Amino acid sequence: MINVLFFAQIRELLGTPSIQLEAGEHVATTAALRTHLAAKNEKWARVLESDKLLVAVNQTLSNWHADVNDGDEVAFFPPVTGG
């Protein structure tokens, strides 16, 4: 099982804080996972555009080529700015 978390505006726009997915070939990387989720519908595709997101695997900031394995936690969140 892969635990997928959504934070900040991503959570608000999707209307859910998290989902769980069965591990499998179609989600072998963070990019593949994003693509799989974006295929749900147009809203998910728009919210999960990769240029609007950061991704972390097991609470470590990652990239779109990182492996995703059974038992992992993957978090999507918007870039953070501050002052």
Side-chain angles (χ1 to χ4, degrees):
M1 190 71 64
I2 299 167
N3 192 32
V4 183
L5 307 175
F6 305 105
F7 290 97
Q9 185 180 15
I10 309 300
R11 175 189 299 210
E12 292 173 21
L13 292 171
L14 294 179
T16 186
S18 66
I19 61 170
Q20 292 189 332
L21 295 176
E22 291 293 327
E25 235 7 78
H26 60 283
V27 294
T29 65
T30 51
L33 174 58
R34 189 208 63 80
T35 299
H36 175 74
L37 295 173
K40 285 181 165 280
N41 62 43
E42 189 174 312
K43 177 176 81 171
W44 281 67
R46 188 173 53 255
V47 172
L48 296 175
E49 290 178 24
S50 63
D51 64 336
K52 297 178 183 177
L53 293 178
L54 294 176
V55 63
V57 178
N58 298 322
Q59 300 181 4
T60 301
L61 188 60
S62 194
N63 61 52
W64 296 110
H65 304 290
D67 292 336
V68 176
N69 299 298
D70 191 27
D72 282 348
E73 175 188 270
V74 179
F76 293 105
F77 52 98
V80 179
T81 61

